[in-house]
């Protein structure tokens, strides 16, 4: 597509009449190609890194570094991060080339049925992803606190699978709230018409918080915040635990970043979002996509990445031990004397 003024000049030159100019403007999507490329490529790149990390952890599941890191929770966290990245990639959708249902008024749910599904998928993937990611992270920390911080339980085996019921409960709670949200006031794709240089410009974006959705969104966000606050408390309790068992400082940083991102998202959703038609929706889209992506990247780098660095150090130390073993030293000395 050409810029808006260029299209107007072309239409005037070609003597467009009637609703042809309106149809031309209706085809415009506010998400430019380079923004779509950035969002999709970064999401695919993040998914590839998660896949590589999962393969490395599974391959080295018998190593001391991975065992002490509680691989079950790490794998669940990777799955949650994958859902968040998928949610971010869906934010690149727009109404360019979409067929609207003309029987539905503009700006109402059902005008773009396929895009409505995409908007609802963004919400589902984001909340289920954050629930799976941070509940797994907090439960990992909780198990460490129970076993290592409490002296009376140091000899008691508390299996990781025991805590799976809390992960399932968190996901079921989120799913129930999301189902109720979908029935009462589901997110939908909304197209707004604004005036720019005396011409109507159509801008589309997901209406994440339509009227009536506040109770469900607030319940999901409050639950998420409570999990984060509990995790911050556990970070304080396990502050003296060695890093090979718990990345306390890294977890604290990741939880605080996620907490700030959640608060900022709420502010954007209910404060900034209603006034976005007065400015550029491009900036709003980039910030909305960047905040959860940045928080997910921090979790991947400081939790999973740090554990992979420790795994690399373990392999390097093991290699040094093998090279310095008595049998190897004996063969080296024998070879040296023989060569002499």
């Amino acid at each position: 597509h050409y810029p808006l003024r260029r299209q107007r000049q072309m239409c005037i030159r070609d003597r467009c009449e009637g609703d042809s100019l309106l149809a031309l403007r209706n085809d415009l999507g506010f998400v430019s190609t380079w923004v779509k490329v950035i969002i999709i490529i970064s999401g695919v790149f993040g998914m590839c890194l998660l896949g590589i990390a999962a393969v490395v952890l599974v391959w080295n599941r018998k190593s001391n570094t991975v065992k002490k890191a509680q691989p079950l929770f790490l794998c669940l966290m990777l799955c949650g991060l994958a859902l968040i990245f998928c949610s971010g990639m869906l934010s690149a959708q727009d109404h360019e080339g979409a067929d609207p249902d003309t029987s539905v008024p503009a700006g109402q749910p059902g005008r773009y049925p396929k895009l409505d599904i995409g908007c609802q998928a963004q919400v589902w993937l984001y909340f289920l992803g954050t629930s799976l990611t941070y509940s797994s992270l907090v439960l990992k920390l909780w198990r460490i606190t129970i076993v290592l911080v409490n002296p009376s339980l140091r000899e008691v085996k508390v299996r990781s699978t025991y805590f799976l019921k809390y992960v399932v409960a968190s996901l079921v709670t989120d799913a129930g709230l999301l189902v109720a949200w979908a029935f009462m006031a589901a997110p939908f794709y909304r197209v707004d018409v604004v005036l720019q240089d005396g011409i109507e410009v159509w801008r589309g974006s997901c209406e994440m918080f339509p009227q009536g959705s506040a109770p469900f969104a607030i319940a999901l966000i409050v639950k998420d915040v409570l999990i984060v606050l509990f995790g911050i408390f556990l970070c304080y309790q396990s502050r003296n635990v060695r890093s090979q068992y718990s990345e306390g400082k890294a977890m604290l940083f990741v939880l605080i970043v996620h907490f700030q991102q959640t608060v900022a998202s709420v502010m954007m959703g209910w404060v900034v979002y209603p006034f976005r038609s007065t400015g550029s929706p491009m900036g709003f889209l980039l910030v909305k996509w960047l905040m959860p992506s940045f928080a997910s990247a921090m979790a991947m780098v400081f939790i999973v990445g740090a554990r992979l660095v420790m795994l690399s150090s373990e392999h390097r130390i093991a290699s040094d031990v093998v090279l310095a073993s008595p049998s190897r030293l004996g063969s080296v000395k024998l070879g040296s004397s023989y060569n002499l």
Side-chain angles (χ1 to χ4, degrees):
H1 292 288
Y2 294 95
L4 184 60
R5 293 184 180 179
R6 175 62 175 161
Q7 291 182 33
R8 180 170 54 180
Q9 293 173 0
M10 293 172 61
C11 196
I12 293 175
R13 183 187 62 192
D14 296 337
R15 298 181 180 181
C16 298
E17 297 179 356
D19 59 352
S20 58
L21 182 59
L22 179 60
L24 183 63
R25 285 194 294 267
N26 284 347
D27 291 337
L28 290 176
F30 74 87
V31 181
S32 63
T33 302
W34 66 270
V35 173
K36 291 181 180 179
V37 169
I38 291 175
I39 292 176
I40 294 175
I41 289 181
S42 61
V44 172
F45 179 70
M47 295 282 288
C48 291
L49 290 180
L50 292 175
I52 294 172
V55 171
V56 172
L57 291 174
V58 172
W59 184 265
N60 297 275
R61 61 188 181 277
K62 295 182 179 181
S63 65
N64 291 329
T65 300
V66 176
K67 285 181 179 179
K68 293 176 182 178
Q70 305 178 76
L72 174 62
F73 295 124
L74 283 181
C75 291
L76 290 175
M77 189 179 70
L78 291 176
C79 294
L81 291 174
L83 294 180
I84 296 175
F85 280 123
C86 289
S87 175
M89 286 190 288
L90 286 175
S91 63
Q93 69 173 359
D94 57 26
H95 58 280
E96 184 177 357
D99 296 325
D101 186 352
T102 55
S103 63
V104 179
Q108 297 298 319
R111 176 77 174 180
Y112 296 91
K114 294 182 179 179
L115 297 180
D116 289 351
I117 296 175
C119 294
Q120 295 169 24
Q122 285 186 55
V123 175
W124 276 74
L125 291 172
Y126 173 75
F127 280 107
L128 292 178
T130 54
S131 179
L132 187 57
T133 299
Y134 296 99
S135 63
S136 300
L137 185 62
V138 171
L139 290 173
K140 175 180 183 292
L141 194 57
W142 192 13
R143 181 171 179 263
I144 293 171
T145 305
I146 291 175
V147 175
L148 298 181
V149 176
N150 191 341
S152 62
L153 293 177
R154 288 183 180 177
E155 302 301 327
V156 178
K157 290 186 178 181
V158 182
R159 296 185 179 276
S160 300
T161 53
Y162 172 79
F163 292 89
L164 282 179
K165 60 183 179 182
Y166 297 109
V167 178
V168 174
S170 178
L171 293 176
V172 170
T173 302
D174 282 357
L177 290 171
L178 288 169
V179 168
W181 186 350
F183 276 105
M184 298 301 296
F188 65 95
Y189 191 85
R190 187 178 72 184
V191 177
D192 294 323
V193 181
V194 296
L195 292 177
Q196 183 179 357
D197 297 333
I199 297 178
E200 290 183 352
V201 180
W202 289 52
R203 292 174 175 171
S205 59
C206 286
E207 176 65 87
M208 296 298 186
F209 304 112
Q211 187 176 5
S213 65
F216 310 105
I218 291 174
L220 287 165
I221 293 171
V222 168
K223 169 187 164 293
D224 187 29
V225 170
L226 290 176
I227 291 176
V228 171
L229 293 177
F230 181 55
I232 293 174
F233 170 73
L234 292 175
C235 286
Y236 174 77
Q237 279 199 325
S238 61
R239 62 191 181 278
N240 296 323
V241 177
R242 288 183 296 178
S243 60
Q244 59 181 331
Y245 296 101
S246 171
E247 309 88 346
K249 294 181 179 179
M251 290 184 182
L252 179 62
F253 174 76
V254 168
L255 291 172
I256 290 176
V257 168
H258 177 63
F259 177 78
Q260 294 175 340
Q261 176 257 318
T262 301
V263 173
S265 299
V266 172
M267 295 298 295
M268 288 189 64
W270 277 305
V271 179
V272 180
Y273 187 86
F275 304 103
R276 76 198 189 292
S277 59
T278 60
S280 172
M282 190 69 67
F284 177 83
L285 171 68
L286 287 174
V287 174
K288 184 183 71 173
W289 161 76
L290 186 60
M291 287 192 301
S293 299
F294 176 77
S296 301
M298 292 299 99
M300 184 170 60
V301 170
F302 286 95
I303 304 301
V304 182
R307 186 58 58 173
L308 294 179
V309 171
M310 294 174 64
L311 180 63
S312 176
S313 300
E314 179 185 343
H315 287 314
R316 185 173 62 254
I317 293 173
S319 299
D320 294 340
V321 170
V322 171
L323 290 175
S325 62
S327 59
R328 181 63 59 90
L329 289 175
S331 62
V332 171
K333 291 180 180 179
L334 180 60
S336 300
S337 60
Y338 177 79
N339 292 330
L340 290 174

